[in-house]
Amino acid sequence: IAGITQAPTSQILAAGRRMTLRCTQDMRHNAMYWYRQDLGLGLRLIHYSNTAGTTGKGEVPDGYSVSRANTDDFPLTLASAVPSQTSVYFCASSDSRVPGELFFGEGSRLTVL
Amino acid sequence: GESVGLHLPTLSVQEGDNSIINCAYSNSASDYFIWYKQESGKGPQFIIDIRSNMDKRQGQRVTVLLNKTVKHLSLQIAATQPGDSAVYFCAETDPGGGYQKVTFGTGTKLQVIP
């Protein structure tokens, strides 16, 4: 059972470059999320999607965009990366019938130089 | 307990003892609370949840207590084991914001001393 698959697991990129973090789930969950995790700040919600075709802004959406063309995929794009976007990014999904029970991927560690 | 800052609060517990991890929340409208466990290098994992109309819920070796009067949540782990070493996060959802928006605390690191 794969659950949530994120790619890449780690990436270093130069400031100003465009980057897409990929996320795929095989649980047919309707809701998906992107969080960033920074020491001392916990997990902060970037964007979320309640169902395919809809997205919403979380707590820290600036500099990021998402799309939800189908149920399984929820890519996160940094149009022009900046050093403050250095973080560990977690994708998650949930069944809306079970509020708050998120299933997380293993994370993507991104370093922007 | 959890706090905002550059360092992670740490709780050190002897193996076999009980652990209590505390969390204060501020949104009085939150009505669903969850505890997650995150092991080093991995994503968070759901442990247990509790609705606001309850004050206690028990799972396997874990108990969550909710005190809405003082907006306080705690996670009790019985007979703590080395495998319990991890960072623990409390989380909440606000029905006004949609149950899909889960807000996490900053985390507490649990260190189990063998």
Side-chain angles (χ1 to χ4, degrees), chain A residues 12-74:
Chain A
I12 300 172
L13 77 161
R17 298 296 295 269
R18 180 184 180 90
M19 178 72 194
T20 295
L21 302 180
R22 301 183 298 278
C23 176
T24 299
Q25 55 117 346
D26 62 1
M27 296 173 282
R28 306 303 292 173
H29 286 163
N30 55 321
M32 295 188 75
Y33 315 78
W34 275 105
Y35 285 86
R36 61 176 289 172
Q37 185 173 35
D38 305 286
L39 186 63
L41 296 175
L43 289 138
R44 293 181 292 168
L45 182 65
I46 304 171
H47 285 286
Y48 66 97
S49 169
N50 288 336
T51 188
T54 68
T55 62
K57 293 182 179 180
E59 184 183 353
V60 288
D62 294 342
Y64 305 94
S65 64
V66 292
S67 62
R68 187 89 184 277
N70 57 61
T71 297
D72 298 342
D73 301 300
F74 191 44

Side-chain angles (χ1 to χ4, degrees), chain B residues 50-92:
Chain B
I50 188 168
R51 288 196 177 273
S52 60
N53 60 356
M54 304 170 67
D55 53 21
K56 181 179 180 179
R57 190 171 186 207
Q58 288 185 293
Q60 187 177 12
R61 279 202 309 119
V62 295
T63 301
V64 56
L65 299 177
L66 174 64
N67 186 330
K68 289 202 74 178
T69 302
V70 295
K71 298 198 204 57
H72 184 267
L73 190 69
S74 70
L75 177 71
Q76 300 179 0
I77 304 173
T80 310
Q81 303 169 0
D84 295 327
S85 293
V87 176
Y88 290 80
F89 294 94
C90 66
E92 60 190 288

Side-chain angles (χ1 to χ4, degrees), chain A residues 30-31 33 35 37 39-43 45 48 50 57-59 90 94 96 98-102 104-106, chain B residues 3-8 32 34 36 38 41-44 46 49 51 89 93 99-106:
Chain A
N30 55 321
Y33 315 78
Y35 285 86
Q37 185 173 35
L39 186 63
L41 296 175
L43 289 138
L45 182 65
Y48 66 97
N50 288 336
K57 293 182 179 180
E59 184 183 353
F90 287 98
S94 71
S96 60
V98 188
E101 185 174 356
L102 274 58
F104 283 85
E106 296 290 270
Chain B
S3 62
V4 175
L6 296 179
H7 64 277
L8 206 58
Y32 191 80
I34 315 102
Y36 282 84
Q38 185 177 25
K42 296 188 176 182
F46 173 92
D49 57 12
R51 288 196 177 273
F89 294 94
T93 64
Y99 279 120
Q100 315 293 27
K101 294 178 72 174
V102 181
T103 302
F104 286 78
T106 52

Side-chain angles (χ1 to χ4, degrees), chain B residues 35-46:
Chain B
W35 280 99
Y36 282 84
K37 173 187 180 182
Q38 185 177 25
E39 297 176 347
S40 181
K42 296 188 176 182
Q45 281 185 295
F46 173 92

Side-chain angles (χ1 to χ4, degrees), chain B residues 5-27:
Chain B
L6 296 179
H7 64 277
L8 206 58
T10 300
L11 175 67
S12 295
V13 175
Q14 203 74 36
E15 181 179 357
D17 288 351
N18 297 335
S19 302
I20 300 177
I21 301 170
N22 296 303
C23 174
Y25 65 94
S26 58
N27 186 356

